[in-house]
Every structure is written in C-alpha cells, then in structure tokens.
C-alpha cells in the first residue's frame, strides 16, 4: 500500500511524475487542480465560485476543496493507495487530511518534494499546452509535438492552454503562494520523517528512476 504526496511548484513535473508512479504502482494519480477543473465543467454556482479563485491564482477555500477531494479518496480505486498532487497546500490542509485518513486507520507513507529553480518553472509553465482529446501535456519550449499542431499520441489537432497558465502574473502569484506554504508543510512532514527531496532539473526518466528507488528502498520498507 502506497499513499504518497508529491509536492513542487506548478511546472516542476509533478503531473508527469505522478502519472508514471500511477502506472508503475497501479494507484490513481489525483490532482486537486484537475478535480477542481472537472468540477467547474458542471457549470453551477459552486463551479463559478471555484473558477473565480482559480483564475486569480488563489487557493479554493478548504471546505470546498476537502469535500471534493475526500469524495474522490473514498472511491474503490484508492484502496491500494494513491498519489496526491496539489494537496495539501498548507499545514491546515495537511492536518485535515491526516484526520480524514486516521478515521480509517490510514496514514501518508511518503512526501516527494520536487526541487527546481523558479525561472525554469516560469518558462515551463508559460509554455504548457494540452491535447484537448487525450490530455497529453506538451511544452512549446522543451517538449513540443513531433509534427507541429498534431498530437503525438492521438493525432488530434485541437489543443488548449490552461487559463491560469497564460497569465504570467497568475503564475507568479502561484509561485509566491507555493514558496510561503511549502516550507511550513515540509517542516510538518519532516517531523514525521516523511520527506524525500528530489532534484527536478534532471530528465523525466532520471527523476522517475530516483523516485522509484525511494519508493522501493525507503517508503515501501517502512
Ligand atoms: P494546480 O493544478 O495544482 O496548479 O492548481 C490550480 C489551482 O487550483 C490553484 O491555483 C488553486 O486555485 C486551486 N487548487 C488546487 N489544489 C488546491 C488545494 N489543495 N487547495 C486550494 N486550492 C487548490
């Protein structure tokens, strides 16, 4: 059983690495950003409220966030474990999650922290675009489609850019929030010996290799 959290600023490769871990270990990768964006497609009042916070780069209020997340964690596919991307964003959320898991005698097994300089992150985030059909993520600076305008995976020619990725001030605000919050969260999990620091400047394959080693050698042996 593997219940993991992956942390790092937006653009550090969390999404990519969590989907690799998800495939390797047969556990769902749950991104709270994606959960919220899915919820927005419902188009009701709550969707509008969520959308306002996200487009400004602000955190969605805790009660809204935890209700959506815990509903997801109660699903059958989370029984074997999960990898959580985007949560907790502060210590209050971390403690809330512990309370939720403890009710079922469960706990977090490890927290993977992706470290990367912020100027690289800004370039990565502002270049990001996604295939509308299969959701494959590309980057116009580092990792574009092989044929311009055609998805490598499904051949679709329709792409989208996340609203909050196209606005540099929103990107900077997200980095600011991350900087302030991440240190306190890391301190919190450090006291529980759960923190594993990962060099996220390496290639996707090397980062994935490092993470695998940590899971096999440390987290799963606890
Ligand atoms: P992300 O995809 O993780 O970059 O998240 C995109 C946006 O969703 C954030 O800027 C927040 O507005 C919102 N969000 C994601 N996760 C959380 C969370 N754990 N708590 C509050 N808001 C969140």
């Amino acid at each position: 059983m593997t219940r993991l959290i992956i942390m790092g600023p937006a653009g550090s490769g969390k999404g990519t690495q969590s989907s690799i871990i998800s495939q390797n270990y047969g556990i769902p990768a749950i991104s709270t950003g994606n959960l919220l964006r899915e919820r927005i497609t419902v188009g009701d009042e709550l969707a509008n409220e969520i959308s306002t916070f996200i487009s400004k780069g602000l955190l969605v209020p805790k009660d809204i966030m935890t209700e959506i997340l815990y509903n997801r964690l109660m699903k059958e596919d989370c029984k074997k474990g999960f990898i959580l991307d985007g949560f907790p964003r502060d210590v209050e959320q971390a403690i809330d999650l512990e309370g939720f898991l403890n009710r079922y005698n469960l706990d977090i097994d490890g927290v993977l922290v992706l470290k990367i300089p912020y100027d690289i992150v800004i370039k990565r985030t502002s270049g990001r675009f996604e295939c509308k059909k299969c959701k494959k993520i590309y980057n116009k600076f580092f990792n574009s489609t092989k044929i311009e305008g055609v998805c490598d995976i499904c051949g679709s020619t329709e792409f989208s850019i996340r609203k909050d990725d196209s606005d540099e001030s929103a990107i900077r605000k997200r980095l600011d929030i991350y900087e302030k919050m991440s240190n306190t969260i890391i301190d919190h999990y450090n006291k529980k010996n759960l923190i594993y620091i990962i060099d996220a400047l390496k290639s996707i394959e090397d980062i994935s290799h490092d993470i695998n080693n940590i899971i096999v050698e440390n987290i799963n042996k606890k």
Side-chain angles (χ1 to χ4, degrees), residues 10 14 32-33 36-37 53-54 57-60 65 86-87 89 93 162 164 174:
K14 274 178 306 171
T32 47
L36 293 169
R37 283 184 287 275
F53 285 100
I54 292 190
L58 295 173
L59 291 182
V60 169
M65 184 71 259
F87 193 99
R89 287 289 226 276
Q93 289 189 353
R162 266 172 51 180
D164 53 343
R174 291 211 312 259

PDB file of all heavy atoms in Angstrom, residues 10 14 32-33 36-37 53-54 57-60 65 86-87 89 93 162 164 174, ligand 1:
ATOM      1  N   ALA A  10       4.069  24.602  -9.516  1.00  0.00           N
ATOM      2  CA  ALA A  10       3.439  24.286 -10.799  1.00  0.00           C
ATOM      3  C   ALA A  10       4.522  24.336 -11.871  1.00  0.00           C
ATOM      4  O   ALA A  10       5.307  25.283 -11.909  1.00  0.00           O
ATOM      5  CB  ALA A  10       2.347  25.305 -11.093  1.00  0.00           C
ATOM      6  N   LYS A  14       5.333  17.600 -11.579  1.00  0.00           N
ATOM      7  CA  LYS A  14       4.519  16.773 -10.674  1.00  0.00           C
ATOM      8  C   LYS A  14       3.531  15.897 -11.440  1.00  0.00           C
ATOM      9  O   LYS A  14       3.386  14.715 -11.135  1.00  0.00           O
ATOM     10  CB  LYS A  14       3.674  17.680  -9.768  1.00  0.00           C
ATOM     11  CG  LYS A  14       4.344  18.145  -8.538  1.00  0.00           C
ATOM     12  CD  LYS A  14       3.409  19.065  -7.778  1.00  0.00           C
ATOM     13  CE  LYS A  14       2.936  20.193  -8.678  1.00  0.00           C
ATOM     14  NZ  LYS A  14       1.881  21.033  -8.137  1.00  0.00           N
ATOM     15  N   THR A  32      -5.566  17.745  -7.340  1.00  0.00           N
ATOM     16  CA  THR A  32      -6.698  18.547  -6.870  1.00  0.00           C
ATOM     17  C   THR A  32      -7.025  19.657  -7.878  1.00  0.00           C
ATOM     18  O   THR A  32      -8.183  20.027  -8.028  1.00  0.00           O
ATOM     19  CB  THR A  32      -6.437  19.142  -5.470  1.00  0.00           C
ATOM     20  OG1 THR A  32      -5.141  19.721  -5.432  1.00  0.00           O
ATOM     21  CG2 THR A  32      -6.574  18.093  -4.404  1.00  0.00           C
ATOM     22  N   GLY A  33      -6.003  20.149  -8.603  1.00  0.00           N
ATOM     23  CA  GLY A  33      -6.262  21.133  -9.665  1.00  0.00           C
ATOM     24  C   GLY A  33      -7.203  20.529 -10.708  1.00  0.00           C
ATOM     25  O   GLY A  33      -8.176  21.166 -11.121  1.00  0.00           O
ATOM     26  N   LEU A  36     -10.748  20.088  -9.405  1.00  0.00           N
ATOM     27  CA  LEU A  36     -11.484  21.366  -9.408  1.00  0.00           C
ATOM     28  C   LEU A  36     -11.892  21.760 -10.825  1.00  0.00           C
ATOM     29  O   LEU A  36     -13.025  22.201 -11.048  1.00  0.00           O
ATOM     30  CB  LEU A  36     -10.629  22.476  -8.780  1.00  0.00           C
ATOM     31  CG  LEU A  36     -10.342  22.324  -7.287  1.00  0.00           C
ATOM     32  CD1 LEU A  36      -9.267  23.319  -6.846  1.00  0.00           C
ATOM     33  CD2 LEU A  36     -11.606  22.542  -6.455  1.00  0.00           C
ATOM     34  N   ARG A  37     -10.964  21.573 -11.766  1.00  0.00           N
ATOM     35  CA  ARG A  37     -11.303  21.931 -13.157  1.00  0.00           C
ATOM     36  C   ARG A  37     -12.444  21.058 -13.688  1.00  0.00           C
ATOM     37  O   ARG A  37     -13.313  21.531 -14.407  1.00  0.00           O
ATOM     38  CB  ARG A  37     -10.059  21.862 -14.054  1.00  0.00           C
ATOM     39  CG  ARG A  37      -9.139  23.080 -13.879  1.00  0.00           C
ATOM     40  CD  ARG A  37      -7.976  23.066 -14.833  1.00  0.00           C
ATOM     41  NE  ARG A  37      -6.987  22.069 -14.471  1.00  0.00           N
ATOM     42  CZ  ARG A  37      -6.002  22.276 -13.590  1.00  0.00           C
ATOM     43  NH1 ARG A  37      -5.877  23.443 -13.009  1.00  0.00           N
ATOM     44  NH2 ARG A  37      -5.150  21.313 -13.313  1.00  0.00           N
ATOM     45  N   PHE A  53     -11.689  31.705  -7.963  1.00  0.00           N
ATOM     46  CA  PHE A  53     -10.445  31.538  -7.203  1.00  0.00           C
ATOM     47  C   PHE A  53      -9.307  31.095  -8.123  1.00  0.00           C
ATOM     48  O   PHE A  53      -8.218  31.660  -8.092  1.00  0.00           O
ATOM     49  CB  PHE A  53     -10.629  30.498  -6.086  1.00  0.00           C
ATOM     50  CG  PHE A  53     -11.418  31.030  -4.924  1.00  0.00           C
ATOM     51  CD1 PHE A  53     -12.765  30.734  -4.783  1.00  0.00           C
ATOM     52  CD2 PHE A  53     -10.818  31.846  -3.980  1.00  0.00           C
ATOM     53  CE1 PHE A  53     -13.503  31.231  -3.715  1.00  0.00           C
ATOM     54  CE2 PHE A  53     -11.532  32.346  -2.903  1.00  0.00           C
ATOM     55  CZ  PHE A  53     -12.884  32.040  -2.769  1.00  0.00           C
ATOM     56  N   ILE A  54      -9.580  30.092  -8.946  1.00  0.00           N
ATOM     57  CA  ILE A  54      -8.519  29.527  -9.788  1.00  0.00           C
ATOM     58  C   ILE A  54      -7.985  30.562 -10.773  1.00  0.00           C
ATOM     59  O   ILE A  54      -6.776  30.692 -10.951  1.00  0.00           O
ATOM     60  CB  ILE A  54      -9.019  28.273 -10.538  1.00  0.00           C
ATOM     61  CG1 ILE A  54      -9.271  27.159  -9.530  1.00  0.00           C
ATOM     62  CG2 ILE A  54      -7.999  27.824 -11.591  1.00  0.00           C
ATOM     63  CD1 ILE A  54      -9.529  25.814 -10.133  1.00  0.00           C
ATOM     64  N   GLY A  57      -5.497  32.716  -9.343  1.00  0.00           N
ATOM     65  CA  GLY A  57      -4.320  32.052  -8.764  1.00  0.00           C
ATOM     66  C   GLY A  57      -4.429  31.918  -7.245  1.00  0.00           C
ATOM     67  O   GLY A  57      -3.426  31.719  -6.560  1.00  0.00           O
ATOM     68  N   LEU A  58      -5.655  32.039  -6.714  1.00  0.00           N
ATOM     69  CA  LEU A  58      -5.846  31.930  -5.255  1.00  0.00           C
ATOM     70  C   LEU A  58      -6.286  30.524  -4.869  1.00  0.00           C
ATOM     71  O   LEU A  58      -6.874  29.805  -5.684  1.00  0.00           O
ATOM     72  CB  LEU A  58      -6.928  32.920  -4.800  1.00  0.00           C
ATOM     73  CG  LEU A  58      -6.614  34.398  -4.973  1.00  0.00           C
ATOM     74  CD1 LEU A  58      -7.841  35.243  -4.648  1.00  0.00           C
ATOM     75  CD2 LEU A  58      -5.440  34.788  -4.078  1.00  0.00           C
ATOM     76  N   LEU A  59      -6.033  30.153  -3.617  1.00  0.00           N
ATOM     77  CA  LEU A  59      -6.482  28.845  -3.143  1.00  0.00           C
ATOM     78  C   LEU A  59      -7.996  28.819  -2.987  1.00  0.00           C
ATOM     79  O   LEU A  59      -8.592  29.784  -2.507  1.00  0.00           O
ATOM     80  CB  LEU A  59      -5.830  28.507  -1.798  1.00  0.00           C
ATOM     81  CG  LEU A  59      -4.334  28.221  -1.810  1.00  0.00           C
ATOM     82  CD1 LEU A  59      -3.869  27.866  -0.410  1.00  0.00           C
ATOM     83  CD2 LEU A  59      -3.979  27.117  -2.785  1.00  0.00           C
ATOM     84  N   VAL A  60      -8.583  27.709  -3.374  1.00  0.00           N
ATOM     85  CA  VAL A  60     -10.014  27.487  -3.165  1.00  0.00           C
ATOM     86  C   VAL A  60     -10.228  27.227  -1.664  1.00  0.00           C
ATOM     87  O   VAL A  60      -9.383  26.557  -1.038  1.00  0.00           O
ATOM     88  CB  VAL A  60     -10.450  26.275  -4.029  1.00  0.00           C
ATOM     89  CG1 VAL A  60     -11.838  25.801  -3.694  1.00  0.00           C
ATOM     90  CG2 VAL A  60     -10.314  26.616  -5.509  1.00  0.00           C
ATOM     91  N   MET A  65     -12.676  22.433  -1.035  1.00  0.00           N
ATOM     92  CA  MET A  65     -11.612  21.549  -1.528  1.00  0.00           C
ATOM     93  C   MET A  65     -11.673  20.163  -0.905  1.00  0.00           C
ATOM     94  O   MET A  65     -11.599  19.143  -1.602  1.00  0.00           O
ATOM     95  CB  MET A  65     -10.250  22.216  -1.223  1.00  0.00           C
ATOM     96  CG  MET A  65      -9.048  21.472  -1.755  1.00  0.00           C
ATOM     97  SD  MET A  65      -8.912  21.539  -3.549  1.00  0.00           S
ATOM     98  CE  MET A  65      -9.548  19.972  -4.036  1.00  0.00           C
ATOM     99  N   GLY A  86      -0.952  18.388  -5.526  1.00  0.00           N
ATOM    100  CA  GLY A  86      -1.672  19.661  -5.346  1.00  0.00           C
ATOM    101  C   GLY A  86      -2.325  19.814  -3.980  1.00  0.00           C
ATOM    102  O   GLY A  86      -2.927  20.831  -3.692  1.00  0.00           O
ATOM    103  N   PHE A  87      -2.198  18.796  -3.158  1.00  0.00           N
ATOM    104  CA  PHE A  87      -2.787  18.818  -1.817  1.00  0.00           C
ATOM    105  C   PHE A  87      -1.842  18.077  -0.876  1.00  0.00           C
ATOM    106  O   PHE A  87      -1.364  17.002  -1.246  1.00  0.00           O
ATOM    107  CB  PHE A  87      -4.142  18.102  -1.836  1.00  0.00           C
ATOM    108  CG  PHE A  87      -4.963  18.325  -0.586  1.00  0.00           C
ATOM    109  CD1 PHE A  87      -5.973  19.262  -0.558  1.00  0.00           C
ATOM    110  CD2 PHE A  87      -4.704  17.582   0.567  1.00  0.00           C
ATOM    111  CE1 PHE A  87      -6.725  19.471   0.593  1.00  0.00           C
ATOM    112  CE2 PHE A  87      -5.447  17.790   1.717  1.00  0.00           C
ATOM    113  CZ  PHE A  87      -6.460  18.733   1.723  1.00  0.00           C
ATOM    114  N   ARG A  89      -1.951  22.176   0.425  1.00  0.00           N
ATOM    115  CA  ARG A  89      -1.319  23.437   0.047  1.00  0.00           C
ATOM    116  C   ARG A  89      -0.899  24.219   1.290  1.00  0.00           C
ATOM    117  O   ARG A  89      -0.249  25.238   1.194  1.00  0.00           O
ATOM    118  CB  ARG A  89      -2.273  24.318  -0.742  1.00  0.00           C
ATOM    119  CG  ARG A  89      -2.538  23.852  -2.164  1.00  0.00           C
ATOM    120  CD  ARG A  89      -1.320  24.051  -3.048  1.00  0.00           C
ATOM    121  NE  ARG A  89      -1.575  24.645  -4.339  1.00  0.00           N
ATOM    122  CZ  ARG A  89      -1.973  23.979  -5.417  1.00  0.00           C
ATOM    123  NH1 ARG A  89      -2.177  22.697  -5.363  1.00  0.00           N
ATOM    124  NH2 ARG A  89      -2.146  24.602  -6.559  1.00  0.00           N
ATOM    125  N   GLN A  93      -4.491  22.081   5.762  1.00  0.00           N
ATOM    126  CA  GLN A  93      -4.964  21.002   4.878  1.00  0.00           C
ATOM    127  C   GLN A  93      -4.267  19.686   5.212  1.00  0.00           C
ATOM    128  O   GLN A  93      -4.881  18.610   5.167  1.00  0.00           O
ATOM    129  CB  GLN A  93      -4.720  21.356   3.405  1.00  0.00           C
ATOM    130  CG  GLN A  93      -5.613  22.468   2.869  1.00  0.00           C
ATOM    131  CD  GLN A  93      -5.492  22.648   1.354  1.00  0.00           C
ATOM    132  OE1 GLN A  93      -4.660  22.034   0.694  1.00  0.00           O
ATOM    133  NE2 GLN A  93      -6.320  23.523   0.804  1.00  0.00           N
ATOM    134  N   ARG A 162      -4.227  26.140 -20.350  1.00  0.00           N
ATOM    135  CA  ARG A 162      -4.948  26.460 -19.109  1.00  0.00           C
ATOM    136  C   ARG A 162      -4.982  27.962 -18.914  1.00  0.00           C
ATOM    137  O   ARG A 162      -3.970  28.632 -19.091  1.00  0.00           O
ATOM    138  CB  ARG A 162      -4.248  25.799 -17.923  1.00  0.00           C
ATOM    139  CG  ARG A 162      -4.836  24.452 -17.578  1.00  0.00           C
ATOM    140  CD  ARG A 162      -4.011  23.754 -16.552  1.00  0.00           C
ATOM    141  NE  ARG A 162      -3.726  24.590 -15.395  1.00  0.00           N
ATOM    142  CZ  ARG A 162      -3.009  24.193 -14.361  1.00  0.00           C
ATOM    143  NH1 ARG A 162      -2.499  22.970 -14.353  1.00  0.00           N
ATOM    144  NH2 ARG A 162      -2.788  24.981 -13.351  1.00  0.00           N
ATOM    145  N   ASP A 164      -5.042  29.804 -16.306  1.00  0.00           N
ATOM    146  CA  ASP A 164      -4.110  30.363 -15.327  1.00  0.00           C
ATOM    147  C   ASP A 164      -2.652  30.205 -15.748  1.00  0.00           C
ATOM    148  O   ASP A 164      -1.757  30.770 -15.144  1.00  0.00           O
ATOM    149  CB  ASP A 164      -4.351  29.787 -13.915  1.00  0.00           C
ATOM    150  CG  ASP A 164      -4.344  28.273 -13.877  1.00  0.00           C
ATOM    151  OD1 ASP A 164      -4.483  27.656 -14.949  1.00  0.00           O
ATOM    152  OD2 ASP A 164      -4.210  27.714 -12.787  1.00  0.00           O
ATOM    153  N   ARG A 174       1.020  32.148  -8.001  1.00  0.00           N
ATOM    154  CA  ARG A 174       1.025  30.742  -7.576  1.00  0.00           C
ATOM    155  C   ARG A 174       2.384  30.362  -6.979  1.00  0.00           C
ATOM    156  O   ARG A 174       2.466  29.654  -5.990  1.00  0.00           O
ATOM    157  CB  ARG A 174       0.726  29.804  -8.763  1.00  0.00           C
ATOM    158  CG  ARG A 174      -0.695  29.898  -9.265  1.00  0.00           C
ATOM    159  CD  ARG A 174      -1.214  28.591  -9.835  1.00  0.00           C
ATOM    160  NE  ARG A 174      -0.350  27.909 -10.772  1.00  0.00           N
ATOM    161  CZ  ARG A 174      -0.495  27.931 -12.089  1.00  0.00           C
ATOM    162  NH1 ARG A 174      -1.461  28.621 -12.637  1.00  0.00           N
ATOM    163  NH2 ARG A 174       0.314  27.254 -12.871  1.00  0.00           N
TER     164      ARG A 174
HETATM  165  P1  LIG B   1      -2.758  23.156  -9.806  1.00  0.00           P
HETATM  166  O1  LIG B   1      -3.330  22.426 -10.990  1.00  0.00           O
HETATM  167  O2  LIG B   1      -2.328  22.248  -8.701  1.00  0.00           O
HETATM  168  O3  LIG B   1      -1.703  24.160 -10.193  1.00  0.00           O
HETATM  169  O4  LIG B   1      -3.958  24.003  -9.179  1.00  0.00           O
HETATM  170  C1  LIG B   1      -4.604  25.013  -9.926  1.00  0.00           C
HETATM  171  C2  LIG B   1      -5.431  25.868  -8.991  1.00  0.00           C
HETATM  172  O5  LIG B   1      -6.433  25.070  -8.328  1.00  0.00           O
HETATM  173  C3  LIG B   1      -4.672  26.517  -7.841  1.00  0.00           C
HETATM  174  O6  LIG B   1      -4.031  27.708  -8.239  1.00  0.00           O
HETATM  175  C4  LIG B   1      -5.781  26.758  -6.821  1.00  0.00           C
HETATM  176  O7  LIG B   1      -6.565  27.863  -7.211  1.00  0.00           O
HETATM  177  C5  LIG B   1      -6.635  25.501  -6.993  1.00  0.00           C
HETATM  178  N1  LIG B   1      -6.197  24.411  -6.075  1.00  0.00           N
HETATM  179  C6  LIG B   1      -5.584  23.231  -6.398  1.00  0.00           C
HETATM  180  N2  LIG B   1      -5.340  22.482  -5.318  1.00  0.00           N
HETATM  181  C7  LIG B   1      -5.801  23.184  -4.258  1.00  0.00           C
HETATM  182  C8  LIG B   1      -5.834  22.940  -2.843  1.00  0.00           C
HETATM  183  N3  LIG B   1      -5.278  21.843  -2.296  1.00  0.00           N
HETATM  184  N4  LIG B   1      -6.417  23.884  -2.053  1.00  0.00           N
HETATM  185  C9  LIG B   1      -6.957  25.001  -2.581  1.00  0.00           C
HETATM  186  N5  LIG B   1      -6.944  25.291  -3.899  1.00  0.00           N
HETATM  187  C10 LIG B   1      -6.383  24.399  -4.741  1.00  0.00           C
END
